[in-house]
Amino acid sequence: MALTIAQKIIKNHLISGEMKAGSEVALKIDQTLTQDATGTMAYLEFETMGIDRVKTERSVAYIDHNTLQCGLENADDHAYIASVAAKHGIYFSRPGNGICHQVHLERFGKPGKTLIGSDSHTPTGGGLGMLAFGAGGLDVAVAMGGGAYYINMPKMIKVNLTGRLRPFVSAKDISLEILRILSVKGGVGAIIEWGGEGIKTLSVPERATITNMGTELGATTSIFPSDEVTREFLKSQGREEDFTPLSSDPDAVYDRVIEIDLDTLEPLIACPHSPDNVKKVSEIAGMKIDQVCIGSCTNSSLFDLKKTAAMLRGKKIATNVSLSVSPGSKQVLSMLVKSGELNDILQSGARLLECACGPCIGMGFSPSSAGVSLRTFNRNFLGRSGTKDGQVYLVSPETAAASAISGVLTDPRDFGDKFGAISVSMPEKFDIDDGSVLPPLNEAEAKTAEVVRGPNIKPFPKTQPMPEKFTCGVALKTGDDITTDHIMPAGAKILPYRSNIPYLSKFCFSVVDETFPERAKEITEKIGGCVIVGGVNYGQGSSREHAALVPLYLGVKAVIAKSFARIHAANLVNAGILPLTLKNPDDYDKLAQDEAVEFSDVSASLEKGVVKAKLLSTGEEIALKAEFTKRQRDILAAGGLLAYTKSGGK
Ligand code: MIC
Ligand code: SF4
């Protein structure tokens, strides 16, 4: 049978299951990555599994999110992760070495391999022909221990690129164009394969910008072929031996094919507060701006920052604008230093930030009240910047640099008309220095090595087996497209407590309703548990399992929604919380915030795939889809993946 690229990699890694769209497949995982904001919890979970050494080909722990050390918390987490990594066979990328996805692409990713990471943008590796998934920390912990990773076999969407990008139009605009076409829900349940003649003109980091932002489509992952462009990239990173060619069969079948003509693409912009709220830059050009941020795992490669430097060279940024530049890795930064291009950036008046996520996750550089911020990032969810009424727009580095100079949103093609073309020359060889990636201890040393645990490291919350009958109060009712940034916000004030669930719980849903945590606790004390009612695409965005663990701590036993985002639904099951989908979406109106619902005969109902929620006010029963595999039902019955794994479940 003719296969797509993803199907070929799945076939090579298939442990069990049928490669039929919708059915569950278990995959062998070759590589894992964690970042610090999700990593602390993932390693605490890994430790409780009692496995001495990771069983993957390569596992790397990155420190890139919580790098502002305004107290002991983040530094404690770094020390914990460094020590736990050294002990268990995991490479440790030190703070300052760069953003996990950028560094992994440069130094560790390999075409044809599987990668899961406790970060939703792990599909960045697809730019290199990897099958890379974002996952909850627990799934990563299990994979490090040699366990399989389970996904529902996705549909296949092909995007064919023709032509060539025009000057000042870039890979970011391709990402925004596909978001415009498909929306933040359009990739759900699908793997997006990029192909067509046009991909030959895109370098690996440009491809990685596109696979990175595939996450915003809700896609399971995105992937490019591994071709001569891939070989050149690996060669320039001194890793040509990691190259293997990879392409789909000519007659491979796709569920949908989308064509994009690069010649006709224009600079695009995603307006507040969703990455799919896309317009042409030219439509709203002239809008006054306050801040510009260039960086993040989407747009911080050497190519992106060389373009930035070329545009800023010899110019000053407008006085009303504050510009930050955060290189994606130490490799990028040191090469900009060596070439003198960093000076072009600094002389323009830009502020240089660390090689880390920084403003993307609200770790500094929050905009002023109602401030308009143009960012080369991938997400502009409400409140994510750290300023509740911040107006964040997503753009390419070209649009960002042109606008920083003029002080208003500017179509970078107008910059070209005014100042002429920019020329960027990429080196044949990148400077390689892996000194900031610490290898793990050998097995003998590891036996006696201590794991460092500061006072901020609190144990994993207690879980209980699923009861046969229970009552829950509706503690919160939300609308559509609730992101994990709504459920468990991030930012400099909260992120340091990612290993302290009781403290984090005070901020649960704070963007939506600050009274939620107290109410949830009260309801749980009174009637034993609570339920959240959501709309379409509940839990989109980040992979943070805290968006499940914190509600679990507050007594949430089930979430009823019109539909769920993939990683969040998996995280709920892993936490032992029931993700239930309304059979009839109109029943949403019957579930009022002060309603209480009763679930009974739970295991039999789960086996049938339909759970009934009885409204205590009227006695009416609402049918909910509960389509779980046998393994997921066992996880739910055990009270979550950790309890299931500890009791020998695979
Ligand atoms: C994000 O971009 O939202 C994050 C912060 O990288 C998250 C992970 C987290 O919440 O720690 C993600 O994308 O998974
Ligand atoms: Fe970091 Fe932002 Fe990328 Fe998340 S999206 S990994 S916060 S740079």
Side-chain angles (χ1 to χ4, degrees):
M1 193 186 117
L3 298 176
T4 68
I5 302 173
Q7 286 164 341
K8 287 185 185 184
I9 304 180
I10 291 175
K11 194 168 167 225
N12 285 338
H13 291 81
L14 194 65
I15 296 175
S16 63
E18 218 188 316
M19 287 176 53
K20 204 176 75 197
S23 58
E24 192 181 59
V25 287
L27 302 179
K28 177 184 172 301
I29 295 302
D30 301 319
Q31 298 191 345
T32 63
L33 70 80
T34 56
Q35 39 92 336
D36 47 340
T38 52
T40 316
M41 195 51 79
Y43 293 112
L44 285 169
E45 291 155 351
F46 178 76
E47 281 190 293
T48 67
M49 289 175 194
I51 293 164
D52 286 343
R53 246 178 140 69
V54 291
K55 301 205 164 51
T56 45
E57 290 173 15
R58 172 82 71 179
S59 286
V60 190
Y62 293 90
I63 305 290
D64 52 2
H65 282 61
N66 288 340
T67 54
L68 288 187
Q69 291 158 232
C70 305
L72 57 89
E73 294 83 8
N74 290 344
D76 273 7
D77 281 5
H78 300 172
Y80 165 71
I81 294 176
S83 62
V84 84
K87 189 171 173 74
H88 294 288
I90 299 149
Y91 286 74
F92 177 71
S93 173
R94 305 182 67 185
N97 193 43
I99 306 175
C100 55
H101 308 303
Q102 176 66 25
V103 178
H104 209 84
L105 193 78
E106 291 167 357
R107 307 302 309 141
F108 301 112
K110 291 186 189 180
K113 296 283 182 187
T114 51
L115 163 71
I116 68 168
S118 60
D119 190 282
S120 67
H121 291 103
T122 306
T124 310
L128 202 52
M130 293 192 96
L131 194 66
F133 306 100
L138 246 169
D139 283 322
V140 177
V142 168
M144 285 193 288
Y149 180 58
Y150 292 80
I151 55 165
N152 284 338
M153 190 64 197
K155 293 181 291 185
M156 301 289 150
I157 298 181
K158 175 88 181 273
V159 187
N160 276 322
L161 300 181
T162 50
R164 175 180 269 280
L165 289 169
R166 302 280 100 197
F168 296 102
V169 186
S170 74
K172 179 61 160 281
D173 300 308
I174 305 177
S175 294
L176 294 172
E177 171 67 0
I178 192 73
L179 272 154
R180 189 189 65 76
I181 297 171
L182 286 177
S183 90
V184 292
K185 307 176 200 50
V188 172
I191 292 183
I192 302 190
E193 180 183 310
W194 292 79
E197 279 300 295
I199 65 163
K200 291 191 187 145
T201 64
L202 299 173
S203 66
V204 166
E206 289 174 288
R207 294 174 178 188
T209 294
I210 295 170
T211 54
N212 173 285
M213 262 193 106
T215 300
E216 272 51 67
L217 299 163
T220 305
T221 190
S222 306
I223 193 164
F224 274 81
S226 172
D227 56 11
E228 280 312 302
V229 174
T230 321
R231 185 204 290 274
E232 279 312 305
F233 175 78
L234 287 168
K235 195 169 159 197
S236 69
Q237 290 284 349
R239 310 201 278 127
E240 197 178 356
E241 69 283 4
D242 290 343
F243 175 74
T244 24
L246 204 62
S247 57
S248 54
D249 292 327
D251 43 355
V253 180
Y254 297 88
D255 296 273
R256 181 169 174 191
V257 179
I258 296 167
E259 308 284 338
I260 297 180
D261 178 1
L262 299 180
D263 283 306
T264 60
L265 206 60
E266 290 188 25
L268 299 173
I269 182 166
C271 302
H273 296 285
S274 181
D276 63 356
N277 191 6
V278 175
K279 294 199 165 90
K280 289 180 179 167
V281 171
S282 56
E283 277 175 59
I284 52 169
M287 174 181 69
K288 177 122 184 326
I289 58 171
D290 302 291
Q291 185 188 65
V292 177
C293 302
I294 300 179
S296 93
C297 58
T298 318
N299 280 121
S300 59
S301 67
L302 186 63
F303 182 54
D304 282 332
L305 296 195
K306 272 177 170 285
K307 287 187 294 186
T308 304
M311 290 178 70
L312 296 177
R313 187 169 303 141
K315 300 176 195 69
K316 295 279 181 227
I317 59 170
T319 49
N320 60 305
V321 169
S322 178
L323 167 67
S324 76
V325 175
S326 22
S329 69
K330 195 183 76 178
Q331 184 186 65
V332 171
L333 177 58
S334 63
M335 291 182 74
L336 291 172
V337 171
K338 214 160 128 186
S339 65
E341 285 156 304
L342 183 65
N343 214 29
D344 297 328
I345 294 175
L346 294 178
Q347 289 306 326
S348 74
R351 288 166 64 182
L352 181 68
L353 305 184
E354 235 186 327
C355 303
C357 301
C360 178
I361 192 57
M363 270 283 161
F365 226 80
S366 300
S368 55
S369 291
V372 174
S373 182
L374 294 190
R375 300 177 162 210
T376 65
F377 307 167
N378 47 36
R379 290 184 173 152
N380 57 348
F381 302 144
L382 181 70
R384 182 177 161 96
S385 64
T387 302
K388 218 170 172 180
D389 58 0
Q391 303 294 309
V392 177
Y393 293 76
L394 307 175
V395 294
S396 68
E398 288 86 339
T399 303
S403 307
I405 294 166
S406 62
V408 293
L409 176 67
T410 300
D411 187 325
R413 294 171 303 176
D414 294 345
F415 170 96
D417 292 343
K418 194 163 164 198
F419 300 107
I422 52 163
S423 86
V424 165
S425 67
M426 287 299 286
E428 261 184 37
K429 289 233 156 306
F430 283 76
D431 293 347
I432 292 152
D433 171 7
D434 290 331
S436 291
V437 181
L438 308 183
L441 299 170
N442 67 36
E443 287 189 39
E445 290 164 342
K447 281 214 166 68
T448 54
E450 294 270 329
V451 173
V452 184
R453 280 170 233 277
N456 189 41
I457 317 271
K458 298 275 184 283
F460 189 82
K462 284 209 172 57
T463 60
Q464 280 164 353
M466 180 76 61
E468 272 307 307
K469 183 173 175 180
F470 57 94
T471 308
C472 287
V474 178
L476 188 71
K477 188 167 176 181
T478 74
D480 291 346
D481 291 324
I482 283 293
T483 72
T484 50
D485 276 279
H486 291 107
I487 306 170
M488 196 52 255
K493 293 193 195 108
I494 311 178
L495 264 181
Y497 299 94
R498 280 290 181 86
S499 46
N500 187 341
I501 301 289
Y503 183 84
L504 275 186
S505 70
K506 297 182 193 159
F507 304 94
C508 190
F509 276 111
S510 57
V511 196
V512 179
D513 179 351
E514 280 173 359
T515 59
F516 169 75
E518 276 314 308
R519 189 168 56 251
K521 273 201 231 156
E522 266 168 38
I523 296 176
T524 301
E525 256 163 46
K526 239 204 253 116
I527 54 174
C530 46
V531 63
I532 295 166
V533 176
V536 174
N537 205 17
Y538 181 87
Q540 68 157 316
S542 134
S543 69
R544 62 189 73 147
E545 61 188 341
H546 303 76
L549 297 178
V550 171
L552 172 74
Y553 174 82
L554 291 171
V556 174
K557 293 205 159 32
V559 179
I560 299 175
K562 290 183 185 165
S563 67
F564 288 90
R566 179 186 74 91
I567 305 177
H568 187 60
N571 284 341
L572 288 172
V573 171
N574 288 352
I577 298 176
L578 280 168
L580 301 168
T581 314
L582 288 162
K583 254 195 141 161
N584 174 5
D586 294 341
D587 285 343
Y588 171 84
D589 296 332
K590 296 180 184 160
L591 288 154
Q593 194 153 304
D594 48 7
E595 182 63 83
V597 291
E598 185 187 88
F599 300 95
S600 49
D601 287 328
V602 174
S603 43
S605 313
L606 288 179
E607 209 155 318
K608 279 192 225 127
V610 181
V611 167
K612 296 221 168 103
K614 184 166 151 197
L615 305 181
L616 291 192
S617 60
T618 60
E620 189 185 346
E621 288 192 330
I622 291 183
L624 305 163
K625 274 192 271 178
E627 287 160 358
F628 303 113
T629 61
K630 161 92 176 66
R631 181 182 149 272
Q632 287 172 323
R633 291 199 301 270
D634 290 346
I635 293 174
L636 287 164
L641 181 58
L642 207 54
Y644 169 81
T645 310
K646 276 205 233 161
S647 65
K650 290 229 159 60

